[in-house]
Amino acid sequence: MVQWSEKEKMLAGLPYKAMGAELLGERQHAKELLFEFNGLRPSAIEERNALIKKLLGKTGANFFIEPPFRCDYGYNITIGENFYSNYNFTVLDCAKITIGDNVLLGPNVSIFAVNHAIHPKLRVAEYEQAHPVTIGNNVWIGGGVIINMGVTIGDNTIIGSGSVVTKDVPANVIAAGNPCRVLRPVADKDLDQYKEIEERLLGQ
């Protein structure tokens, strides 16, 4: 019978224990890099980006992550082009976190791709389970949003501030709330969002 490591179980979405030497060592490695990242001067943008490229599984050529930033492993996170996250971005990346191009995150956004066991006996035994999170292209996540494991957010969607996302959200919508739900689609009329302001200013 093949014996799976706890890391292999974690990445396969099976119940696993996180406190073994391999996974604990990898989390400690990520913490060391993040300690350095979060402690750099604000002007040290190139140095911070170099650390992020060393930590994450994949990045686009252009990204900006405001410190402080926290994650468990780093190698499970991929970000696309023109990614921006504001302060206090926290990721429990025990499963794959895939983020598309042109994604904006407000402050205090959290992605939790893992959950502890429901039954207390299993929870005390330190079992947990992780499932991937996917965020599409051109998505805007408002401040204070929590995204739970197994969730997919479609392209061009906006998640309102303070939302708790427990289920998939389709593309091209505005969604908000706890639990998060679709409020309305993104429409062509939204192209006129700044039209009145521009006309007023240009008319002065």
Side-chain angles (χ1 to χ4, degrees):
M1 182 177 178
V2 178
Q3 292 293 321
W4 287 37
S5 70
E6 297 305 311
K7 179 178 179 178
E8 288 172 330
K9 293 175 186 177
M10 179 184 80
L11 295 177
L14 299 172
Y16 71 97
K17 296 185 178 183
M19 294 307 293
E22 182 179 24
L23 290 178
L24 179 60
E26 290 184 342
R27 290 196 302 276
Q28 291 297 97
H29 172 72
K31 288 176 185 177
E32 291 290 340
L33 291 176
L34 289 167
F35 181 84
E36 186 176 354
F37 172 88
N38 290 321
L40 287 169
R41 297 185 65 83
S43 58
I45 295 172
E46 291 184 4
E47 293 90 335
R48 288 204 308 273
N49 286 353
L51 288 169
I52 289 297
K53 288 180 180 180
K54 186 184 298 186
L55 177 66
L56 301 193
K58 183 180 178 182
T59 73
N62 184 42
F63 62 89
F64 201 104
I65 297 176
E66 300 277 8
F69 167 52
R70 301 277 191 272
C71 67
D72 274 342
Y73 300 99
Y75 57 72
N76 277 327
I77 304 170
T78 65
I79 58 175
E81 292 293 342
N82 304 316
F83 172 80
Y84 176 81
S85 68
N86 215 314
Y87 309 112
N88 296 313
F89 181 33
T90 300
V91 189
L92 305 186
D93 60 314
C94 304
K96 292 291 184 184
I97 309 291
T98 305
I99 300 175
D101 297 335
N102 307 309
V103 171
L104 303 173
L105 306 183
N108 301 308
V109 168
S110 298
I111 300 176
F112 303 147
V114 63
N115 209 353
H116 295 288
I118 294 173
H119 197 283
K121 288 184 178 180
L122 294 175
R123 197 162 59 248
V124 169
E126 300 181 346
Y127 281 105
E128 53 190 65
Q129 192 172 17
H131 294 292
V133 170
T134 301
I135 298 173
N137 298 319
N138 313 316
V139 171
W140 175 20
I141 309 292
V145 169
I146 296 172
I147 301 169
N148 285 319
M149 70 176 192
V151 163
T152 294
I153 297 174
D155 293 348
N156 309 314
T157 281
I158 297 171
I159 306 296
S161 297
S163 298
V164 178
V165 187
T166 60
K167 296 181 179 179
D168 291 354
V169 181
N172 303 300
V173 300
I174 300 171
N178 181 7
C180 188
R181 61 185 179 85
V182 174
L183 302 181
R184 69 170 178 89
V186 176
D188 288 344
K189 67 178 182 179
D190 294 313
L191 288 169
D192 296 331
Q193 178 180 359
Y194 302 118
K195 185 176 181 180
E196 182 181 345
I197 297 172
E198 290 174 347
E199 288 177 346
R200 186 168 68 248
L201 291 174
L202 292 173
Q204 289 180 351

